[in-house]
Each structure stands twice: as structure tokens, then as C-alpha cells.
Amino acid sequence: MRQNLQTAGRLRPVDLARRHGLSTQAVRNYEAAGILPPAGRTAHGYRTYAPLHADALGTFLALIPGHGHATATAIMRAVNRDEPAEAFRLIDGSHAQLLEDRRTLDAVERALRDLGPGAVPAPDDDGAGPGAMYVGPLAGRLGIRPATLRKWERAGIVTPRRDPRTGYRVYEAADVRDAALAHQLRRGGYGLERIAPLIAQVRAAGGPEPLAAALDDWHARLAARGRAMLTGAAELDNYLRERERPVRAQGPHRPQDT
């Protein structure tokens, strides 16, 4: 860590907090978490921040919409440790996830264009009967746990029948389709409480029309994330440049800590 990052133009915690509608405790918490560089201290032990801390806070808040709180925190910690390569790696990961989510959306739309068995994982004749699957093979095909399928059943997303001889759950072709769509929608960020009525409408209507609005919203949210990543990148670039500049001139000394 370069020395004296916090010594230019003194700011109080409340000065940073008010700018973003935060509490002063939140500012202190961000410092403790490594999101902000360490604060300076007056002779009486009061925290003092500098414009660079304000830049760090603005950068962190700008990164959250595109990367999420956890990744934004990790990015700022890496930068404040003078490890920009790690920050760039985390950013690359977020962009890769956004690309994967776009591909997922494309896959959902392709599946919805044809709700037949060919658009979703093909059922195997694994003993459940032609065109049907038991919970284990279906979970394995989708890359989820059997417990997840049982949770979806409780939410009304899938409605498997029971084998009268064994009592095992049997997922017919329509259930396999519904499970595949639910899996894709979960990856797109939809909660079960939103997926269940969509699947129910698709099931009742026999077509993809009820999902059209949801897919439009998904497109909009992906576009918003992409735009937010650009905004966050601009703020981060500015913060990196400010960290590389000579320490700015001293501002007025303000010992109050609020």
C-alpha cells in the first residue's frame, strides 16, 4: 500500500455518507471491509478521509449494479491492496457470466419456440416408462440436485406422478420440459415465486406466449447489467488513475467524527 493516501483534503465520515445517502456507520464498515483505503486519524483519534476515499466509495457503489455486492467488494479490496491484476480477473469473470447468461437466454428462447421434447433434455427410458424419467436421471441431465426438483415440486413448478409400484416420482415429457424451463429461468435470476405462475400458464396455454413479457424483462435486465458494467469500469479507471497521482494538497483540518 502506498503511504499517505488518506492525507490529502480532510473529509469527515459524514461528508462521504451524505453524498450517497449512507449512514456514517456504513462508511466505517466499508473501510473495515477494505473497500476504502485506511482512514487517517487525528491526534484525538477521529477518522479523517480524503477525496481519494470519496472516489473509492463512489467506485464501489458504481460497481455493485453490474457485478454484485460480493464481487464489487473483492474488486475494491484487490485495488486497495495494489493488486490490479486480481481486480481485472474478477471483472473478467463478471463479463464471462454475463455472456453465459445471454447464451442461457438464447437457449430459453430456442426452447420456447418449440415446446416439444426435442427442445429440452431428451427423456430416457430409464425404467420410468417411454418418454419419462425418474428424479435422479433428470437432475443429472439438468446439472442440479434431486432435492432441487423436489423443492420445485413443492412450489408447483413440476408435477410428477408417482409410480404405483415403487412410489418413485416419474417425470413425464411435459414435466421434463417444465423442469428445463425452470432451470433456465432460475439461471436468469428469476425466483421460484415468479417461475411457478409462468410455468403454470405455459402448461395451461400449451404455448410460450405467457413467457414473452418475462423474456423481454430478462433482455432488459441483461442490457442494464452490461451498461452498469461500463459505468463501473469508468469509475474504476478514474479511481486507479487517482491512486497513481501524487497526493493532493491538504484541505482544511476537520477533527469531528460523526
Side-chain angles (χ1 to χ4, degrees):
M1 172 66 67
R2 298 194 335 277
Q3 298 299 313
N4 298 324
L5 287 175
Q6 68 275 11
T7 58
R10 301 294 181 89
L11 298 171
R12 301 167 299 169
V14 69
D15 297 324
L16 272 66
R18 285 175 177 167
R19 186 175 303 181
H20 299 285
L22 300 172
S23 68
T24 54
Q25 187 57 52
V27 173
R28 297 186 188 100
N29 291 344
Y30 289 153
E31 180 197 343
I35 293 166
L36 306 184
R41 294 280 181 167
T42 69
H44 296 91
Y46 293 114
R47 285 179 174 84
T48 61
Y49 294 113
L52 188 72
H53 293 90
D55 293 340
L57 181 57
T59 299
F60 171 66
L61 296 175
L63 288 169
I64 291 174
H67 298 273
H69 193 282
T71 300
T73 298
I75 291 169
M76 294 303 296
R77 285 174 174 167
V79 170
N80 291 329
R81 292 195 305 265
D82 286 329
E83 297 175 2
E86 172 62 12
F88 300 152
R89 185 190 69 79
L90 292 164
I91 291 169
D92 289 345
S94 288
H95 282 283
Q97 184 60 58
L98 179 61
L99 178 59
E100 180 60 28
D101 288 345
R102 292 189 189 282
R103 289 171 174 163
T104 296
L105 175 54
D106 290 342
V108 172
E109 291 181 319
R110 285 195 300 271
L112 289 174
R113 282 194 289 269
D114 180 5
L115 289 178
V120 295
D124 295 326
D125 188 358
D126 61 359
M133 302 181 76
Y134 286 132
V135 62
L138 177 56
R141 188 67 63 87
L142 294 175
I144 60 178
R145 297 179 301 168
T148 299
L149 282 171
R150 291 192 283 269
K151 183 177 181 180
W152 292 356
E153 181 182 351
R154 292 192 295 272
I157 292 171
V158 290
T159 56
R161 64 177 175 84
R162 293 281 185 163
D163 186 312
R165 296 178 295 103
T166 64
Y168 294 158
R169 291 172 173 82
V170 178
Y171 296 82
E172 304 291 355
D175 297 309
V176 174
R177 175 204 68 199
D178 294 345
L181 292 178
H183 179 49
Q184 300 285 27
L185 289 169
R186 285 291 287 148
R187 292 194 62 192
Y190 279 79
L192 297 183
E193 71 283 354
R194 297 183 66 188
I195 294 173
L198 290 171
I199 296 295
Q201 290 178 47
V202 170
R203 196 179 299 136
E209 292 80 7
L211 278 178
L215 294 174
D216 288 343
D217 176 63
W218 193 350
H219 274 292
R221 288 189 291 115
L222 289 179
R225 274 174 56 197
R227 184 66 178 269
M229 286 182 181
L230 292 177
T231 300
E235 292 292 328
L236 181 60
D237 182 63
N238 177 71
Y239 180 55
L240 289 168
R241 290 177 186 276
E242 289 301 312
R243 286 178 59 84
E244 293 166 357
R245 289 176 58 183
V247 176
R248 285 173 276 187
Q250 286 271 0
H253 182 62
R254 297 178 179 175
Q256 295 91 351
D257 189 18
T258 59

